[in-house]
Amino acid sequence: QGTFPDDPEWSTKGDGVWAPTTERANSGVYSIKSPDLSNEDMTPLIANVTLNTNPVWGDGTLVFSILAGVSMPFDDLLYYVDGQMRGQFTEKTYFESQQIQLGPGPHEIVFSYRYNPVGLGVFPPESPDRIGAVYIDDVYFLPSGVTIAPAGPPASSIPGTASPTVSASPTLKLEQPTRSVLPTPVSSPSTIAPTSIPPGAIYYDGFEQGTFPDDPEWSTKGDGVWAPTTERANSGVYSIKSPQLSNDDFTPQSANVTFNTNPSWGGGTLVFSVLAGVNMPFDDLLYYVDGQMRGQFTE
């Protein structure tokens, strides 16, 4: 319709403003896009777009499609519901449908795009696939009990009209988002043997030797400890797994696993495989380098 951000339910503010774009869309031609906040001084900057729901709405589900073409430490996208951070979107090259369950009455949903959020003075090399922007499209509210969601035709990259996308026949059911799950190994380990060291690597730990966490470079502490497991592995039989911290009192808890590199190593790249089967507001995984938060893994 070409009225954003003048619609009464939408607003945008900060060090830059979100705006309509025809660059990418989940359906139709238009979406809204975060601003380019990059600057030569690498000053951390923020641009928010806010949706205020209608106060007369009852409980239901807010549905939206998002392409979060951002990655730490360059930029990221946090979202808040009524002032509480609910999650983070990052490192995507395609639109994903997301849902937020809301109770009755007015709610404020804020999408916060942040440039250089940890205040680095120098960035590492960028991936050639990095987009460096966030796009949001197809935002709608489904009252509780309603299961029919609008469906649009495939996205077009050629600008046409600013008219809203309309489907002749709606889909019949809105599916809950699912997690990608790796298969669980079906066989028990017969031996504990190290897997092969990648070519050129000066250090490798596939946790197959069964010595974690007694290796001098590894440690784990907190409200629980990480431990070896055969439940899932990227290669071989073993990986290490976070502990179960859920409790009846919903007390926030944390469990850290720490890797200390060898002081004799020169510059290089630390490579690891991670399966982050977590999602806000239940749980999440943050990672730090030398005390500075560098990113988050989720869903």
Side-chain angles (χ1 to χ4, degrees):
Q1 293 173 329
T3 55
F4 176 90
D6 297 326
D7 307 284
E9 65 271 19
W10 287 101
S11 62
T12 177
K13 63 181 180 179
D15 299 304
V17 295
W18 292 58
T21 181
T22 59
E23 292 176 1
R24 301 169 186 261
N26 185 62
S27 67
V29 173
Y30 286 87
S31 66
I32 58 172
K33 178 188 175 185
S34 60
D36 181 2
L37 298 181
S38 60
N39 60 89
E40 293 182 356
D41 297 330
M42 297 189 65
T43 302
L45 299 174
I46 297 175
N48 294 343
V49 62
T50 301
L51 171 68
N52 286 283
T53 64
N54 193 314
V56 303
W57 291 350
D59 61 329
T61 305
L62 181 72
V63 186
F64 58 95
S65 295
I66 184 167
L67 190 166
V70 293
S71 57
M72 289 289 286
F74 308 99
D75 49 7
D76 72 350
L77 189 284
L78 304 180
Y79 75 96
Y80 300 78
V81 178
D82 299 331
Q84 297 294 318
M85 193 186 86
R86 295 286 295 274
Q88 179 185 45
F89 298 110
T90 186
E91 298 192 42
K92 299 297 182 182
T93 58
Y94 51 86
F95 277 93
E96 289 185 320
S97 179
Q98 300 288 340
Q99 302 180 10
I100 300 175
Q101 302 298 321
L102 298 175
H107 296 281
E108 180 186 73
I109 296 89
V110 177
F111 298 94
S112 183
Y113 172 71
R114 308 188 303 165
Y115 170 76
N116 193 12
V118 296
L120 294 183
V122 178
F123 282 144
E126 291 189 31
S127 165
D129 298 326
R130 200 179 94 80
I131 297 172
V134 178
Y135 300 81
I136 298 176
D137 199 4
D138 296 333
V139 181
Y140 55 94
F141 180 78
L142 292 175
S144 181
V146 176
T147 57
I148 298 178
S156 168
S157 60
I158 302 174
T161 173
S163 300
T165 300
V166 179
S167 172
S169 51
T171 57
L172 297 180
K173 185 176 182 181
L174 181 66
E175 297 292 335
Q176 294 286 341
T178 59
R179 294 180 179 178
S180 174
V181 178
L182 297 179
T184 301
V186 296
S187 59
S188 299
S190 56
T191 61
I192 301 178
T195 53
S196 60
I197 298 178
I202 62 173
Y203 172 87
Y204 173 77
D205 195 346
F207 304 104
E208 302 299 318
Q209 294 176 325
T211 55
F212 175 91
D214 296 327
D215 306 283
E217 67 271 21
W218 287 101
S219 62
T220 177
K221 63 181 181 179
D223 298 304
V225 295
W226 292 58
T229 181
T230 60
E231 292 178 7
R232 303 169 190 265
N234 184 58
S235 66
V237 175
Y238 285 88
S239 66
I240 57 172
K241 178 187 176 184
S242 60
Q244 173 63 257
L245 298 181
S246 60
N247 58 86
D248 292 338
D249 297 328
F250 288 90
T251 303
Q253 297 186 335
S254 63
N256 297 340
V257 61
T258 301
F259 177 68
N260 286 283
T261 63
N262 192 312
S264 67
W265 293 350
T269 303
L270 182 69
V271 182
F272 57 93
S273 298
V274 61
L275 192 166
V278 294
N279 63 294
M280 291 288 286
F282 308 101
D283 47 8
D284 70 350
L285 177 70
L286 305 178
Y287 73 96
Y288 298 78
V289 178
D290 299 330
Q292 297 293 317
M293 193 186 86
R294 295 291 294 274
Q296 180 185 43
F297 299 109
T298 184
E299 300 190 66

